Amino acid sequence: MVLQALKTTGVRVATAQARRAGARRNMGGHAPAPEWTGIDKVVRGYFPQDYQLSGAILGGYSVLIGLGVLMSGGSSEPAEAPVQKAVAASVGSSDLPPSVESAEFDTFVESDAFTKFIESEENVNKYVTSLE
C-alpha cells in the first residue's frame, strides 16, 4: 500500500513536470513570415500570400498560352474545305456502286452485286480512279 502511494505520487509529479517543461503547442498556428531577399522580396511585395502568388503564376501561364494560340491560328481567311466529287452511278453502268448519299446504296450493300464488286479488282480500281 505504501509502495502504491509512492508510485502514484511519482507518476503525478513526473507528468506535472513534463507538462511544464514541454513545448507549447499551438495546433496549426502561423509561423512568423520569412525574410525574403532578391526577386522574392519584390514579388512578395505585390503578392504576400502563397495563394496570391500561385494565382499570379497560373494567370501568367494562361495569358502566354492564350497569346500563343491567337498568334499561331490568326489567319483571317477560312481554310478551304476539300471538294469531294460525288460518285453517281449511271443508269447503264453496273461496274460502279451508287453514291453513298443515294437511297439505292443501302440495297446495293445488302445485295450480291456488292460482293461481286468487292471481289473484282478491276471494278475497285475503276471506283478509286473515279474518286480522284
Side-chain angles (χ1 to χ4, degrees):
M1 175 114 144
V2 173
L3 292 174
Q4 183 66 27
L6 287 174
K7 178 183 170 192
T8 305
T9 304
V11 168
R12 204 176 313 137
V13 169
T15 56
Q17 287 177 352
R19 283 186 198 150
R20 277 186 254 133
R24 183 174 177 204
R25 298 178 58 189
N26 291 332
M27 297 296 183
H30 296 289
E35 292 293 325
W36 302 108
T37 58
I39 189 72
D40 288 334
K41 185 175 184 178
V42 174
V43 171
R44 289 294 182 158
Y46 294 104
F47 306 110
Q49 300 294 321
D50 289 340
Y51 74 91
Q52 294 170 332
L53 183 60
S54 64
I57 291 170
L58 288 175
Y61 277 118
S62 299
V63 167
L64 288 176
I65 291 170
L67 286 175
V69 168
L70 288 175
M71 298 302 276
S72 68
S75 66
S76 61
E77 298 177 11
E80 294 183 21
V83 179
Q84 296 180 353
K85 297 179 183 177
V87 178
S90 60
V91 177
S93 172
S94 63
D95 294 344
L96 298 177
S99 173
V100 176
E101 297 164 351
S102 70
E104 297 118 14
F105 186 75
D106 290 334
T107 57
F108 173 75
V109 170
E110 295 170 355
S111 68
D112 292 333
F114 179 70
T115 55
K116 289 179 185 176
F117 173 76
I118 294 293
E119 290 172 355
S120 172
E121 186 176 340
E122 182 181 335
N123 286 341
V124 173
N125 287 337
K126 282 183 188 177
Y127 181 69
V128 169
T129 56
S130 70
L131 290 177
E132 296 174 349

